Structure formats: C-alpha cells, structure tokens
Amino acid sequence: MNQKHQEDLSHIRSMMERSSRFISLSGLSGVFSGLSALIGGLYAYQLFKANGIEYFDKNNKVYSIDLLLELFFIAIIVLFSALTFGIFFTIRKSRKYNLPIWTTATKKMLLNLAIPLIVGGVFCLALLFYKIYFLIAPATLLFYGLALINAEKYTFSDIKYLGFCELILGCISLFYVGYGLVFWIIGFGILHILYGLLLFKKYK
Amino acid sequence: MGIIDKLNKDFESRVRLGIMSILMVNDWVDFTEMKTLLFITDGNLASHSTALEKAEYIEVKKEFVGKKPKTSYRVTNKGRAAFNEHLNSLEKLIKSNN
C-alpha cells in the first residue's frame, strides 16, 4: 500500500514538472554550443594575427572591410552550429525519454528567452549603427544573461546561475574595453561547456 | 479505517491524478496536449475527464479554432481544494507507515 502511495506522489510530481517546464534541454547541447563558440573565437584571434593585427595591442586597430566580413561570417557559422547542436541534442534527449517537445511550457520558455534577446539584438544593431563597437561584447553578454534568468521559470531552474555568471562577466567586460573577444570566449564558450557538463551529470 | 477513508476515491486512477497534477500548475490545457503529456488514448482521456467534470473538479471549455473543435480543461476551486486535501492525506499515510 505504502509503495503505491509513494508512486502516486512521484507520478504527481513528475506530471507537474513535465507539464510546466521544458525539461528536454540536454547538457550536451551546452557543451557543443560552447565548443563552437570556443573554436570560433580562437579562429577569429588567429585571423587577426594572420592579418597582421595584434588583438591586444590598443594602437593598431584599423580593420579592413574584408576582415570585418570574414569575422561576421565566422559569427554566423558559430551561431548556426551552436543552434544546430543545441536543437539536435535536445531532440535526441526528448526521444530517448519519450518527452513531448512542442508543449505550452516550451513555447513559454522560448518566448521568455526571446524577449531580452531580441531587444539585445536591436540594441547591438544600434551600437553598430553609431559605431560604438567596444560595447557590443558586453551588451551581448548582459542581454543573454537576462534572457536566461527570464526563461528560468519554464525550464531547469539551474540556468539562472549561468545567467548570473553571464551578467557578472558582462559587467566586468564593460570596464575592460578592447578585450571583447576574450570575454566572448569565456562567456559563450567556456561557461557553456562547464554548465553543459554540470547539467549533463546532474540530469543524466 | 482512520486516515485511509480520507483518500479521495475520485483520484484513485493514475490518469485522474495526472490530469489534476497538470491542471494544478497550468491554466487552460487543451485535449491534445493533455493526451501527449499523459501518453493515453482519446477515449481514455475523455472518460476520465468526464468523471472529473461530473465531480466538479475540472471545468471543460469547447470552442472552435477555425473549423476544428478544441476542448480545454481547467481546474475548479473545488478541484484544487480536493486535490490538496488528497495530497495531504497521501503525505500523512506515508509518514505514519514509515
């Protein structure tokens, strides 16, 4: 009898969780997205060197259009592969555990994630427009951190800690102008990999 | 008998427990989503939801989205209270047996 009641309770808990949170998010998504960012960032650094620009040298920073286009191209590839890995491992996990993906909780999570991200995107476009390039890296980290904290209610609540780390990093980077690439590599590369590994271990 | 008779008979089935649990943490949930979350058939969900509706634990809304009929469920205040009480008795039972 007691066994049945215990099972009833765990059934209730799992139904509440499954219906209100997006729990298919895989730790591997984080690890591989982080790796894409890390490789992209290091490649960008190499690219600067190959073009005769020492990234950390403050006086020598005139970028040719070709270099800017190439950097932009790298950014797009990183974004695309990070999203692809993210979606791929999430679908794989949901298949494995037989979880429905496209639920109300998923839609709410994406909406809550999207609001700060879209505003952040517009903000960065404005920075580009006014040629305030040095604030772009901090702004991306800050808005991303806010997006994670905003989406926390609808997925694993641990993502808020990743959000806080991104915010702290973003705030620090505001005062270390000229090291944007480094902060990007830490924020989008290393933090994602660490967080992904933690999540993977915890919810395996 | 003691505590045992406080357990609500309406919540004996796993499907009904599932429906109530989902509605406790969500507002309106539609038929299709409820079915996928619980891994049950149309008929199964229909019969259990009717039973819960008769007990006035949930309310049912039927509407048309375009030309498709859509059924959604929401927990009533009575249902919320009954389910909370059920949870409390479950908890007590487990504690007293341990």
Side-chain angles (χ1 to χ4, degrees):
Chain A
M1 202 61 190
N2 205 25
Q3 180 80 25
K4 188 196 172 281
H5 298 323
Q6 297 268 22
E7 277 168 18
D8 275 1
L9 275 184
S10 67
H11 179 67
I12 290 167
R13 190 173 298 135
S14 109
M15 276 303 148
M16 285 181 167
E17 186 169 273
R18 188 193 287 183
S19 65
S20 63
R21 284 173 190 269
F22 172 74
I23 51 173
S24 303
L25 192 65
S26 165
L28 291 178
S29 300
V31 174
F32 280 89
S33 308
L35 281 176
S36 320
L38 195 63
I39 294 167
L42 293 176
Y43 183 77
Y45 181 69
Q46 288 303 319
L47 198 66
F48 282 120
K49 268 199 167 161
N51 280 267
I53 297 167
E54 186 49 58
Y55 183 77
F56 298 109
D57 184 359
K58 290 249 182 305
N59 310 315
N60 184 15
K61 281 205 177 167
V62 186
Y63 301 158
S64 67
I65 287 292
D66 283 350
L67 179 60
L68 283 177
L69 277 177
E70 209 163 341
L71 287 171
F72 185 70
F73 191 61
I74 298 172
I76 295 292
I77 291 178
V78 168
L79 182 67
F80 182 75
S81 58
L83 278 176
T84 310
F85 280 129
I87 294 169
F88 171 78
F89 285 108
T90 291
I91 290 178
R92 205 182 71 147
K93 185 177 170 190
S94 75
R95 291 248 167 90
K96 194 172 157 195
Y97 294 96
N98 221 348
L99 297 163
I101 299 185
W102 198 238
T103 61
T104 314
T106 312
K107 289 174 208 162
K108 279 185 185 157
M109 189 218 42
L110 288 177
L111 178 71
N112 277 272
L113 197 65
I115 295 167
L117 283 187
I118 290 170
V119 176
V122 174
F123 187 81
C124 289
L125 282 179
L127 290 177
L128 274 175
F129 182 74
Y130 294 114
K131 299 191 167 58
I132 314 176
Y133 303 123
F134 64 94
L135 282 181
I136 291 176
T140 53
L141 289 166
L142 290 173
F143 281 101
Y144 181 56
L146 292 175
L148 291 178
I149 293 169
N150 204 37
E152 170 259 340
K153 296 182 287 296
Y154 301 106
T155 182
F156 293 119
S157 60
D158 316 59
I159 71 161
K160 67 171 171 285
Y161 300 115
L162 180 63
F164 289 133
C165 292
E166 302 285 359
L167 285 184
I168 293 168
L169 201 65
C171 288
I172 298 172
S173 71
L174 281 170
F175 300 96
Y176 287 89
V177 164
Y179 293 91
L181 192 58
V182 181
F183 284 102
W184 261 338
I185 289 176
I186 300 173
F188 292 107
I190 295 169
L191 282 184
H192 274 141
I193 296 173
L194 288 178
Y195 171 75
L197 288 175
L198 283 175
L199 193 76
F200 186 68
K201 250 181 107 179
K202 188 169 171 189
Y203 296 102
K204 211 171 149 193
Chain B
M1 289 295 268
I3 317 177
I4 299 276
D5 54 4
K6 275 193 197 154
L7 274 186
N8 198 324
K9 283 269 189 277
D10 284 323
F11 299 136
E12 249 176 14
S13 106
R14 278 282 152 81
V15 176
R16 288 185 204 174
L17 272 186
I19 295 173
M20 291 305 288
S21 315
I22 291 169
L23 294 179
M24 289 295 278
V25 289
N26 289 283
D27 204 20
W28 291 102
V29 176
D30 69 52
F31 189 88
T32 321
E33 182 159 357
M34 188 67 93
K35 201 179 68 178
T36 17
L37 282 166
L38 293 166
F39 304 115
I40 53 175
T41 59
D42 286 23
N44 205 348
L45 175 54
S47 69
H48 283 295
S49 60
T50 312
L52 288 173
E53 193 191 2
K54 269 193 190 141
E56 292 174 5
Y57 290 156
I58 63 173
E59 63 180 292
V60 180
K61 179 173 73 179
K62 289 187 179 164
E63 60 192 337
F64 278 88
V65 178
K67 283 190 175 168
K68 280 188 183 166
K70 186 179 148 186
T71 307
S72 319
Y73 305 103
R74 181 167 74 172
V75 69
T76 61
N77 285 337
K78 189 180 166 194
R80 198 173 281 278
F83 192 71
N84 275 330
E85 205 171 304
H86 183 72
L87 278 182
N88 287 338
S89 353
L90 267 182
E91 201 176 301
K92 270 185 208 152
L93 264 173
I94 289 171
K95 266 186 195 157
S96 64
N97 282 6
N98 275 346

